[in-house]
């Protein structure tokens, strides 16, 4: 009887803290041992990493899959195509959102998303809640939902159909504090956006590129500071999602200096796109890159890189929210709709890790350990998945990525596995891509082939991130 189901030999093992050479023994989908050398004859199967980097499978803690929209637009990806593309890009756990429609109970929202995911997800998944209706009945649902493993809630300071008042934000934050859960905050000042949008439209400035002007960094900075202030009042940690601008980063840096427990996230679009990708003329082409907050200027791009390297950002997520470039998505209101009517979001699950490995690690902007922390360990810890997910250690799930880091791969939508009909990164060259992705010790991506199976992904009920709080 072989001792191991699988040995990954000659691995350049990278965790959030260490980097060392070793062999990884796997049994029943879990890592059972890590040693300098394991006897290959004791394994049913051997994969020779040949000295290549092996990192924990990515944890993408911010993605939207099969999420119905209040405007009737349709997500390009469901749980099959979204998790398939994640696996092909080295991500083995996703945390999409279960969004509450106003008037809907949270339990109903969660039940609906379970139906959307069950039998479809190819990799493991959990759910954040999106709270859009913070009335007393909703708040009363939270203790049970947290104990069922939904230990994080996203709240919005903008979008007409989603936003909460400051009073309601305080209620949610206070509940998060009592339960040891965490609130994720979309921080943009809604009235700034409305005022700028009206002004631009009156001037006939409706092309996609004006989206970047309507969503000013000043509005992001103000809302970021307000979110931090509300968290300070309640005395609770928060996570600021998809931070895009130098101005917002400065607020987070300041809050940290004051000793506040402020976590923050950024995304590939703020490193690899700028406002120019929304168009330098009035063509509708730039609608593909409309997301909120929008990509900024090169000064903010530099600030985002610095904040990734210096530890200001806690996690790096995709904010995958794909809409096709047709009447179900970006052209919902026609070929030349005003920017404020274009569904917000871009695809990014599959390209998140290769882009950061290539431009971050290989270009020596961040270390390989920092890459692992940002993309796997820190999100797993922050959202109650650690140490089952997010690291390479005995007892952890055998979710691993073996990297090719000496390639030249030009990204094109054809090579990707999402159902989206375009990628914002078309034509960009990367030097890294997963050679093999293992989920529970089984290859889901190898030799440029998706090998996973729909329905193999398991729902994970998450622990609370701050158990001693309250
Ligand atoms: N902005 C969000 O807040 N969510 C999804 C996509 C986007 O652009
Ligand atoms: Zn958001
Ligand atoms: Zn989002």
């Amino acid at each position: 009887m072989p001792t191991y189901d699988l040995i990954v030999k000659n691995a350049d093992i990278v965790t959030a803290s260490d980097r060392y050479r070793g062999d990884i023994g796997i049994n029943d989908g879990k890592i059972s041992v890590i040693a300098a050398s394991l006897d290959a004859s004791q394994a049913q199967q051997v994969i020779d990493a040949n000295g290549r980097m092996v990192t924990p499978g990515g944890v993408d803690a911010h993605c939207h899959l099969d999420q119905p929209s209040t405007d009737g637009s349709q997500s390009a990806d469901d749980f099959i195509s979204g998790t398939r593309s994640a696996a092909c890009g080295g991500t083995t756990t996703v945390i999409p959102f279960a969004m509450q429609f106003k008037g809907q109970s949270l339990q109903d929202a969660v039940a609906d998303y379970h139906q959307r995911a069950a039998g479809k997800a190819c990799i493991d998944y959990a759910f954040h809640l999106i709270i859009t209706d913070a009335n007393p009945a909703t708040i009363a649902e939270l203790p049970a939902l947290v104990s069922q493993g939904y230990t994080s809630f996203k709240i919005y300071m903008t979008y007409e159909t989603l936003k909460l008042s400051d009073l309601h934000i305080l209620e949610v934050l206070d509940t998060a504090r009592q339960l040891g859960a965490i609130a994720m905050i979309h921080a943009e000042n809604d009235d700034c956006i409305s005022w700028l949008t009206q002004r631009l439209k009156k001037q006939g400035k409706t092309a996609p590129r004006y989206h970047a002007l309507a969503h000013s960094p000043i509005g992001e900075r103000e809302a970021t500071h307000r979110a931090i202030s509300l968290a300070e009042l309640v005395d609770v940690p928060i996570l600021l999602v998809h931070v895009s601008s130098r101005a917002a980063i400065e607020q987070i840096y300041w809050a940290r200096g004051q000793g506040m427990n402020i976590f923050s996230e950024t995304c590939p679009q703020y490193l690899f796109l700028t406002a120019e990708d929304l168009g330098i003329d009035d063509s509708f082409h730039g609608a593909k890159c409309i997301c909120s907050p929008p990509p900024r200027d090169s000064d903010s791009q530099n600030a985002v890189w610095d904040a990734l390297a210096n530890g200001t950002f806690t996690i790096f997520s995709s904010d995958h929210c794909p809409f096709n470039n047709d009447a179900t998505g970006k052209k919902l209101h026609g070929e030349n709709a005003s920017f404020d009517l274009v569904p917000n979001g871009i695809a990014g699950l599959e390209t998140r890790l290769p882009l950061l490995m290539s431009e971050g690690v290989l270009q020596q902007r961040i270390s390989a350990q920092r890459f692992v922390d940002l993309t796997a360990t820190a999100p797993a810890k922050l959202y109650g998945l650690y140490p089952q997910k997010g690291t390479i250690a005995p007892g952890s799930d055998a979710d691993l990525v073996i990297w090719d880091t000496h390639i030249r791969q030009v990204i094109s939508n054809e090579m990707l596995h999402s159902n989206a009909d375009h990628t914002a990164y078309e034509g960009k060259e990367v030097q890294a891509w997963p050679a093999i992705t293992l989920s529970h010790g089984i290859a889901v991506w190898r030799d440029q082939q998706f090998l996973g199976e729909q329905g193999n992904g398991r729902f994970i009920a998450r622990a609370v991130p701050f158990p001693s709080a309250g």
Side-chain angles (χ1 to χ4, degrees), residues 62-64 67 97 130 154 156 159 186 241-242 265 267 269 292 318-321 344:
H62 187 156
C63 53
H64 304 263
Q67 186 177 310
F97 297 89
I130 293 178
K154 185 174 179 192
Y156 288 83
Y159 293 127
H186 179 133
V241 290
H242 48 49
E265 170 198 79
C267 311
Q269 48 271 39
S292 292
S318 66
D319 197 5
H320 180 85
C321 188
N344 278 222

Side-chain angles (χ1 to χ4, degrees), residues 72-114:
S73 55
Q74 285 165 30
S75 166
D77 277 325
D78 62 8
F79 276 81
I80 301 172
S81 59
T83 58
R84 178 180 67 208
S85 76
C88 299
T91 287
T92 49
T93 307
V94 286
I95 318 181
F97 297 89
M99 188 188 73
Q100 173 195 37
F101 281 101
K102 281 205 196 308
Q104 187 186 26
S105 89
L106 287 170
Q107 288 285 5
D108 283 354
V110 163
D112 176 30
Y113 282 86
H114 272 290

